[in-house]
Amino acid sequence: MNRSLLLGGAAAVATMTGCSSGSSGTAGSASAAPSGAPSGMPGGGPGGMGPGATEVKYDDFVGVTTDGEVVEDLYAIHSTGVSTDAVVKAAQAFLDGLSAKERRSAVFDVDDDEWLAWSNVDGYEREGVRMGDLTSKRRDLGYALLGAALSAGGLTQSRDIMKLNAFLGDYSGGGKETLTEGHYYFTFMGTPSTTKPWGFQYEGHHLAINYFVLGDQVVMTPTFMGSEPTSATYQGEKITTFEKETTAGLALLRSLTTAQRKKAVSGQEKGGMDMKAGAGQDNLELAYEGLVASGFTAAQRRKLLDLVGVYVGYMDEGHAEVKMKEVEEHLDDTWFLWMGDSEDSSAFYYRVHSPVVLIEYDAQSPLAYGDESQDGDDGNGGGGPGGMGGTPTQRHIHTIVRTPNGGDYGVDLLRLHLENDH
């Protein structure tokens, strides 16, 4: 389960994109930081730039909690009424198109540690089958699987992240293998089935989708999406990402009263990287902070649900509706935290946190794109690559969605399935 972080191209590019030499090792070992980076960063830091300071094993998985204690009885095996036939068929079709060797490299047990071994770093050494190594026909089967698992918006967002990754490679002149559209990997846990538990993982630079299926239930967390830059023209196509996430967050903040904002807005200064629940943080203890939604007006509750819906809405529509109902059931126990300024072009961080959902949005320091004098169409200057101590900007955004209290990777559902059915 060790995962080494490769330099993957010019050393300078590796440093800018967050790669570190060394390995994640076993639980308790720390990743080496790039030369000149703060100790433990970015590979081992809480922002999820790599596999994290420790690598939790599946059997030791607890999930994100507020205090180390899991809130019980949040999840149950039940019929959602939303078919998973399409994603099962698409997954099987993709697997059928692989060679025997490729299939052996890509298929793991449903409770394998491989679930937890994901990263958003470009040069991370991954298992599975690489999209760039497949024929166009077999890549299309992979995109068909993503299309069945995600909403149209989710598929577009994922593809745009991949295209902007290739743009970054062209821009920086490095990472000729990793900073491409093709450096994204599929792994499968278990065998696609409409009755038995299984899932898949799709990951690469700035994109990691964990998709667990049990019957007609789906868990699509952790899901990491990010980009640097967040807007560019690639092969004649103008691509812009994270507009909805940015505007929905601002809309909720601006709906708050002065008294509410005093509670929601942290006194902590926005840093270059503030994400807490990124890669390697599967057993994170994260207390509720900010403003609880129990006192929200109807309009504010709607804006909160709209914000959550942006992220949840990247999964297929039917299962997104199921998840939103779960979120709404715990809305009074949902907390909203904001860090940073609140202008349209400001770099800020926000968090939505409840017993059943954790969302983070983090505008970070530029690592590989922009310079001090560069100013984009939105007036948001590049700020210059300055490592995690640089000035944050909307040109580099990371987001993550998790299901706290043991829900990530469908772990709690699998546990219930094994207890009740075996």
Side-chain angles (χ1 to χ4, degrees), residues 64-220:
V64 176
T65 62
T66 58
D67 57 4
E69 298 295 323
V70 174
V71 178
E72 301 290 344
D73 301 322
L74 289 172
Y75 314 111
I77 296 175
H78 65 280
S79 176
T80 65
V82 181
S83 175
T84 54
D85 287 355
V87 73
V88 170
K89 291 178 181 177
Q92 193 60 60
F94 179 78
L95 285 169
D96 288 345
L98 300 180
S99 68
K101 181 179 179 180
E102 288 169 335
R103 186 161 181 153
R104 284 194 300 270
S105 73
V107 178
F108 299 81
D109 292 337
V110 71
D111 59 350
D112 198 274
D113 291 343
E114 183 63 27
W115 273 120
L116 283 66
W118 62 270
S119 172
N120 55 286
V121 170
D122 62 318
Y124 189 63
E125 185 180 356
R126 295 176 166 87
E127 301 290 344
V129 287
R130 180 178 179 270
M131 289 286 271
D133 294 335
L134 301 177
T135 64
S136 59
K137 182 178 180 179
R138 291 194 291 168
R139 277 199 302 274
D140 286 344
L141 290 173
Y143 291 135
L145 171 53
L146 291 179
L150 307 177
S151 65
L155 180 59
T156 297
Q157 175 93 325
S158 300
R159 292 290 286 113
D160 284 350
I161 288 170
M162 296 166 66
K163 292 173 184 177
L164 288 172
N165 186 52
F167 171 89
L168 183 62
D170 293 342
Y171 171 87
S172 65
K176 293 301 184 182
E177 178 184 353
T178 63
L179 297 179
T180 67
E181 285 190 69
H183 201 65
Y184 292 83
Y185 288 71
F186 270 111
T187 52
F188 293 81
M189 286 59 160
T191 302
S193 169
T194 57
T195 57
K196 297 179 180 180
W198 70 283
F200 73 87
Q201 186 178 76
Y202 186 74
E203 61 152 334
H205 189 211
H206 280 143
L207 181 64
I209 298 170
N210 292 281
Y211 201 94
F212 174 84
V213 181
L214 176 59
D216 64 5
Q217 289 180 267
V218 167
V219 177
M220 199 178 91

Side-chain angles (χ1 to χ4, degrees), residues 388-405:
M388 283 307 166
T391 302
T393 168
Q394 284 187 23
R395 287 184 177 273
H396 187 192
I397 292 174
H398 285 189
T399 69
I400 193 161
V401 185
R402 284 188 177 268
T403 306
N405 295 298

Side-chain angles (χ1 to χ4, degrees), residues 337-399:
L337 175 71
W338 186 278
M339 189 185 305
D341 295 330
S342 56
E343 300 301 320
D344 288 351
S345 61
S346 297
F348 50 77
Y349 165 95
Y350 66 73
R351 182 192 310 160
V352 176
H353 189 184
S354 87
V356 297
V357 70
L358 171 63
I359 294 168
E360 289 186 281
Y361 168 109
D362 191 18
Q364 300 192 344
S365 299
L367 294 180
Y369 180 78
D371 56 54
E372 293 291 351
S373 62
Q374 186 174 10
D375 206 35
D377 295 337
D378 56 4
N380 188 9
M388 283 307 166
T391 302
T393 168
Q394 284 187 23
R395 287 184 177 273
H396 187 192
I397 292 174
H398 285 189
T399 69

Side-chain angles (χ1 to χ4, degrees), residues 41 109 139 150 158-159 169 196 226 255 270 274 278 307-309 328 382 390 421:
M41 299 294 283
D109 292 337
R139 277 199 302 274
L150 307 177
S158 300
R159 292 290 286 113
K196 297 179 180 180
S255 76
K270 175 73 182 78
D274 294 295
L307 174 56
V308 175
E328 193 163 7
D421 296 350

